[in-house]
Amino acid sequence: AQSVTQLGSHVSVSEGALVLLRCNYSSSVPPYLFWYVQYPNQGLQLLLKYTTGATLVKGINGFEAEFKKSETSFHLTKPSAHMSDAAEYFCAVSDQGLSGAGSYQLTFGKGTKLSVIP
Amino acid sequence: DTAVSQTPKYLVTQMGNDKSIKCEQNLGHDTMYWYKQDSKKFLKIMFSYNNKELIINETVPNRFSPKSPDKAHLNLHINSLELGDSAVYFCASSSGMWAYEQYFGPGTRLTVT
């Protein structure tokens, strides 16, 4: 079974500082990995994803994440935090659904709330 | 031109009532999902439908019954509502087996009193 661990339920950074949100996963097969962002009172929005290929993936709003197989990690970073980055961030891992079903299941971490201090 | 829409956005009801939440997607996706997000923001999948067929049915009380009249709609009906059903319910959709991201609706905040 897949699982995701997000270290730190709450992270605070100063505006302009580096953002680092940690995500570790467990998977018996090569995973597909995602970061989603949830702004207050809104649904989740995909930030970036890793499926295959380049292990450093770039997403929207200046975020990027690096897949490190040896560390089973997929940490999210942004060089310079902006006030608008304050939100809840979810790391997720997927497995393939039933063979041929054309579906998959996302397993989410418990989320990390990012606060940006002016 | 909202991609995934849900109605209603807020739902306040009393214990024991029956209520429905509707979801529609205009992305042409063939897979739709229902998630429950609890007060601690933890997201858990409840159901998944692919081409109107139930694919994932997690351990959910059978008071919850999803219905997919067509590929663009996945509704959630809840019977005999309980206090513990209070949560935010998200609908999501995705496209086929080679697209891995899910698109989420804005959520329905259900409060049972």
PDB file of all heavy atoms in Angstrom, chain B residues 5-24:
ATOM      1  N   SER B   5     -17.609  21.491 -11.135  1.00  0.00           N
ATOM      2  CA  SER B   5     -18.496  22.286 -10.292  1.00  0.00           C
ATOM      3  C   SER B   5     -19.279  21.394  -9.350  1.00  0.00           C
ATOM      4  O   SER B   5     -19.565  20.233  -9.677  1.00  0.00           O
ATOM      5  CB  SER B   5     -19.450  23.127 -11.150  1.00  0.00           C
ATOM      6  OG  SER B   5     -20.236  22.287 -11.980  1.00  0.00           O
ATOM      7  N   GLN B   6     -19.589  21.946  -8.196  1.00  0.00           N
ATOM      8  CA  GLN B   6     -20.353  21.217  -7.190  1.00  0.00           C
ATOM      9  C   GLN B   6     -21.464  22.114  -6.679  1.00  0.00           C
ATOM     10  O   GLN B   6     -21.277  23.316  -6.508  1.00  0.00           O
ATOM     11  CB  GLN B   6     -19.469  20.833  -5.991  1.00  0.00           C
ATOM     12  CG  GLN B   6     -18.375  19.871  -6.279  1.00  0.00           C
ATOM     13  CD  GLN B   6     -17.537  19.583  -5.039  1.00  0.00           C
ATOM     14  OE1 GLN B   6     -16.319  19.644  -5.098  1.00  0.00           O
ATOM     15  NE2 GLN B   6     -18.166  19.249  -3.916  1.00  0.00           N
ATOM     16  N   THR B   7     -22.595  21.497  -6.388  1.00  0.00           N
ATOM     17  CA  THR B   7     -23.689  22.222  -5.745  1.00  0.00           C
ATOM     18  C   THR B   7     -24.313  21.342  -4.684  1.00  0.00           C
ATOM     19  O   THR B   7     -24.472  20.121  -4.886  1.00  0.00           O
ATOM     20  CB  THR B   7     -24.777  22.630  -6.765  1.00  0.00           C
ATOM     21  OG1 THR B   7     -25.192  21.451  -7.486  1.00  0.00           O
ATOM     22  CG2 THR B   7     -24.273  23.676  -7.726  1.00  0.00           C
ATOM     23  N   PRO B   8     -24.657  21.913  -3.532  1.00  0.00           N
ATOM     24  CA  PRO B   8     -24.416  23.311  -3.154  1.00  0.00           C
ATOM     25  C   PRO B   8     -23.001  23.506  -2.618  1.00  0.00           C
ATOM     26  O   PRO B   8     -22.284  22.535  -2.413  1.00  0.00           O
ATOM     27  CB  PRO B   8     -25.449  23.515  -2.041  1.00  0.00           C
ATOM     28  CG  PRO B   8     -25.524  22.178  -1.378  1.00  0.00           C
ATOM     29  CD  PRO B   8     -25.366  21.159  -2.487  1.00  0.00           C
ATOM     30  N   LYS B   9     -22.616  24.716  -2.383  1.00  0.00           N
ATOM     31  CA  LYS B   9     -21.316  25.000  -1.786  1.00  0.00           C
ATOM     32  C   LYS B   9     -21.361  24.816  -0.267  1.00  0.00           C
ATOM     33  O   LYS B   9     -20.404  24.377   0.346  1.00  0.00           O
ATOM     34  CB  LYS B   9     -20.879  26.419  -2.123  1.00  0.00           C
ATOM     35  CG  LYS B   9     -19.443  26.733  -1.701  1.00  0.00           C
ATOM     36  CD  LYS B   9     -18.949  27.996  -2.331  1.00  0.00           C
ATOM     37  CE  LYS B   9     -17.555  28.369  -1.808  1.00  0.00           C
ATOM     38  NZ  LYS B   9     -16.555  27.359  -2.200  1.00  0.00           N
ATOM     39  N   TYR B  10     -22.476  25.150   0.319  1.00  0.00           N
ATOM     40  CA  TYR B  10     -22.689  24.963   1.750  1.00  0.00           C
ATOM     41  C   TYR B  10     -23.995  24.211   1.952  1.00  0.00           C
ATOM     42  O   TYR B  10     -24.975  24.446   1.252  1.00  0.00           O
ATOM     43  CB  TYR B  10     -22.762  26.307   2.492  1.00  0.00           C
ATOM     44  CG  TYR B  10     -21.516  27.150   2.370  1.00  0.00           C
ATOM     45  CD1 TYR B  10     -21.407  28.151   1.414  1.00  0.00           C
ATOM     46  CD2 TYR B  10     -20.428  26.923   3.210  1.00  0.00           C
ATOM     47  CE1 TYR B  10     -20.268  28.909   1.294  1.00  0.00           C
ATOM     48  CE2 TYR B  10     -19.276  27.686   3.099  1.00  0.00           C
ATOM     49  CZ  TYR B  10     -19.205  28.678   2.138  1.00  0.00           C
ATOM     50  OH  TYR B  10     -18.061  29.425   2.016  1.00  0.00           O
ATOM     51  N   LEU B  11     -23.986  23.334   2.944  1.00  0.00           N
ATOM     52  CA  LEU B  11     -25.176  22.539   3.234  1.00  0.00           C
ATOM     53  C   LEU B  11     -25.253  22.354   4.744  1.00  0.00           C
ATOM     54  O   LEU B  11     -24.364  21.744   5.343  1.00  0.00           O
ATOM     55  CB  LEU B  11     -25.074  21.194   2.524  1.00  0.00           C
ATOM     56  CG  LEU B  11     -26.251  20.233   2.558  1.00  0.00           C
ATOM     57  CD1 LEU B  11     -27.535  20.908   2.118  1.00  0.00           C
ATOM     58  CD2 LEU B  11     -25.950  19.018   1.678  1.00  0.00           C
ATOM     59  N   VAL B  12     -26.290  22.924   5.335  1.00  0.00           N
ATOM     60  CA  VAL B  12     -26.502  22.781   6.771  1.00  0.00           C
ATOM     61  C   VAL B  12     -27.804  22.028   6.961  1.00  0.00           C
ATOM     62  O   VAL B  12     -28.833  22.410   6.407  1.00  0.00           O
ATOM     63  CB  VAL B  12     -26.565  24.149   7.478  1.00  0.00           C
ATOM     64  CG1 VAL B  12     -26.774  23.945   8.975  1.00  0.00           C
ATOM     65  CG2 VAL B  12     -25.301  24.955   7.216  1.00  0.00           C
ATOM     66  N   THR B  13     -27.763  20.954   7.723  1.00  0.00           N
ATOM     67  CA  THR B  13     -28.936  20.125   7.873  1.00  0.00           C
ATOM     68  C   THR B  13     -28.925  19.450   9.233  1.00  0.00           C
ATOM     69  O   THR B  13     -27.915  19.469   9.946  1.00  0.00           O
ATOM     70  CB  THR B  13     -28.991  19.073   6.750  1.00  0.00           C
ATOM     71  OG1 THR B  13     -30.242  18.388   6.775  1.00  0.00           O
ATOM     72  CG2 THR B  13     -27.847  18.082   6.887  1.00  0.00           C
ATOM     73  N   GLN B  14     -30.040  18.851   9.586  1.00  0.00           N
ATOM     74  CA  GLN B  14     -30.147  18.200  10.888  1.00  0.00           C
ATOM     75  C   GLN B  14     -29.878  16.710  10.775  1.00  0.00           C
ATOM     76  O   GLN B  14     -30.029  16.100   9.702  1.00  0.00           O
ATOM     77  CB  GLN B  14     -31.537  18.435  11.473  1.00  0.00           C
ATOM     78  CG  GLN B  14     -31.795  19.898  11.841  1.00  0.00           C
ATOM     79  CD  GLN B  14     -33.150  20.093  12.501  1.00  0.00           C
ATOM     80  OE1 GLN B  14     -34.120  19.419  12.171  1.00  0.00           O
ATOM     81  NE2 GLN B  14     -33.213  21.019  13.445  1.00  0.00           N
ATOM     82  N   MET B  15     -29.503  16.157  11.894  1.00  0.00           N
ATOM     83  CA  MET B  15     -29.285  14.708  11.961  1.00  0.00           C
ATOM     84  C   MET B  15     -30.522  13.970  11.492  1.00  0.00           C
ATOM     85  O   MET B  15     -31.656  14.390  11.763  1.00  0.00           O
ATOM     86  CB  MET B  15     -28.999  14.297  13.409  1.00  0.00           C
ATOM     87  CG  MET B  15     -27.615  14.652  13.904  1.00  0.00           C
ATOM     88  SD  MET B  15     -27.417  14.257  15.652  1.00  0.00           S
ATOM     89  CE  MET B  15     -27.861  12.523  15.680  1.00  0.00           C
ATOM     90  N   GLY B  16     -30.285  12.887  10.768  1.00  0.00           N
ATOM     91  CA  GLY B  16     -31.374  12.049  10.322  1.00  0.00           C
ATOM     92  C   GLY B  16     -31.915  12.389   8.951  1.00  0.00           C
ATOM     93  O   GLY B  16     -32.620  11.580   8.338  1.00  0.00           O
ATOM     94  N   ASN B  17     -31.572  13.586   8.471  1.00  0.00           N
ATOM     95  CA  ASN B  17     -32.053  13.987   7.141  1.00  0.00           C
ATOM     96  C   ASN B  17     -31.274  13.275   6.035  1.00  0.00           C
ATOM     97  O   ASN B  17     -30.199  12.725   6.253  1.00  0.00           O
ATOM     98  CB  ASN B  17     -31.923  15.499   6.968  1.00  0.00           C
ATOM     99  CG  ASN B  17     -32.981  16.263   7.734  1.00  0.00           C
ATOM    100  OD1 ASN B  17     -33.959  15.683   8.223  1.00  0.00           O
ATOM    101  ND2 ASN B  17     -32.805  17.570   7.873  1.00  0.00           N
ATOM    102  N   ASP B  18     -31.846  13.323   4.832  1.00  0.00           N
ATOM    103  CA  ASP B  18     -31.195  12.805   3.632  1.00  0.00           C
ATOM    104  C   ASP B  18     -30.856  14.001   2.744  1.00  0.00           C
ATOM    105  O   ASP B  18     -31.687  14.882   2.547  1.00  0.00           O
ATOM    106  CB  ASP B  18     -32.122  11.861   2.862  1.00  0.00           C
ATOM    107  CG  ASP B  18     -32.604  10.695   3.691  1.00  0.00           C
ATOM    108  OD1 ASP B  18     -31.947  10.364   4.697  1.00  0.00           O
ATOM    109  OD2 ASP B  18     -33.636  10.098   3.323  1.00  0.00           O
ATOM    110  N   LYS B  19     -29.636  13.998   2.204  1.00  0.00           N
ATOM    111  CA  LYS B  19     -29.227  15.114   1.350  1.00  0.00           C
ATOM    112  C   LYS B  19     -28.393  14.595   0.180  1.00  0.00           C
ATOM    113  O   LYS B  19     -27.820  13.517   0.237  1.00  0.00           O
ATOM    114  CB  LYS B  19     -28.391  16.136   2.137  1.00  0.00           C
ATOM    115  CG  LYS B  19     -29.191  16.930   3.163  1.00  0.00           C
ATOM    116  CD  LYS B  19     -30.202  17.825   2.495  1.00  0.00           C
ATOM    117  CE  LYS B  19     -31.010  18.593   3.538  1.00  0.00           C
ATOM    118  NZ  LYS B  19     -32.092  19.397   2.919  1.00  0.00           N
ATOM    119  N   SER B  20     -28.330  15.416  -0.864  1.00  0.00           N
ATOM    120  CA  SER B  20     -27.529  15.078  -2.034  1.00  0.00           C
ATOM    121  C   SER B  20     -26.601  16.228  -2.392  1.00  0.00           C
ATOM    122  O   SER B  20     -26.934  17.399  -2.201  1.00  0.00           O
ATOM    123  CB  SER B  20     -28.427  14.783  -3.237  1.00  0.00           C
ATOM    124  OG  SER B  20     -29.159  13.603  -3.046  1.00  0.00           O
ATOM    125  N   ILE B  21     -25.451  15.860  -2.921  1.00  0.00           N
ATOM    126  CA  ILE B  21     -24.482  16.824  -3.458  1.00  0.00           C
ATOM    127  C   ILE B  21     -24.265  16.448  -4.923  1.00  0.00           C
ATOM    128  O   ILE B  21     -24.077  15.268  -5.245  1.00  0.00           O
ATOM    129  CB  ILE B  21     -23.142  16.768  -2.711  1.00  0.00           C
ATOM    130  CG1 ILE B  21     -23.347  16.941  -1.203  1.00  0.00           C
ATOM    131  CG2 ILE B  21     -22.206  17.856  -3.241  1.00  0.00           C
ATOM    132  CD1 ILE B  21     -22.090  16.699  -0.393  1.00  0.00           C
ATOM    133  N   LYS B  22     -24.295  17.464  -5.772  1.00  0.00           N
ATOM    134  CA  LYS B  22     -24.150  17.191  -7.198  1.00  0.00           C
ATOM    135  C   LYS B  22     -22.779  17.636  -7.689  1.00  0.00           C
ATOM    136  O   LYS B  22     -22.223  18.626  -7.201  1.00  0.00           O
ATOM    137  CB  LYS B  22     -25.247  17.903  -7.980  1.00  0.00           C
ATOM    138  CG  LYS B  22     -26.643  17.387  -7.668  1.00  0.00           C
ATOM    139  CD  LYS B  22     -27.688  18.025  -8.564  1.00  0.00           C
ATOM    140  CE  LYS B  22     -29.051  17.425  -8.290  1.00  0.00           C
ATOM    141  NZ  LYS B  22     -30.104  17.988  -9.173  1.00  0.00           N
ATOM    142  N   CYS B  23     -22.272  16.926  -8.657  1.00  0.00           N
ATOM    143  CA  CYS B  23     -20.983  17.264  -9.255  1.00  0.00           C
ATOM    144  C   CYS B  23     -21.061  17.107 -10.763  1.00  0.00           C
ATOM    145  O   CYS B  23     -21.595  16.110 -11.267  1.00  0.00           O
ATOM    146  CB  CYS B  23     -19.879  16.368  -8.701  1.00  0.00           C
ATOM    147  SG  CYS B  23     -18.257  16.676  -9.458  1.00  0.00           S
ATOM    148  N   GLU B  24     -20.503  18.070 -11.444  1.00  0.00           N
ATOM    149  CA  GLU B  24     -20.463  18.030 -12.902  1.00  0.00           C
ATOM    150  C   GLU B  24     -19.094  18.477 -13.381  1.00  0.00           C
ATOM    151  O   GLU B  24     -18.518  19.416 -12.837  1.00  0.00           O
ATOM    152  CB  GLU B  24     -21.540  18.947 -13.492  1.00  0.00           C
ATOM    153  CG  GLU B  24     -21.518  19.036 -15.012  1.00  0.00           C
ATOM    154  CD  GLU B  24     -22.581  19.970 -15.560  1.00  0.00           C
ATOM    155  OE1 GLU B  24     -23.301  20.602 -14.770  1.00  0.00           O
ATOM    156  OE2 GLU B  24     -22.680  20.073 -16.796  1.00  0.00           O
TER     157      GLU B  24
END
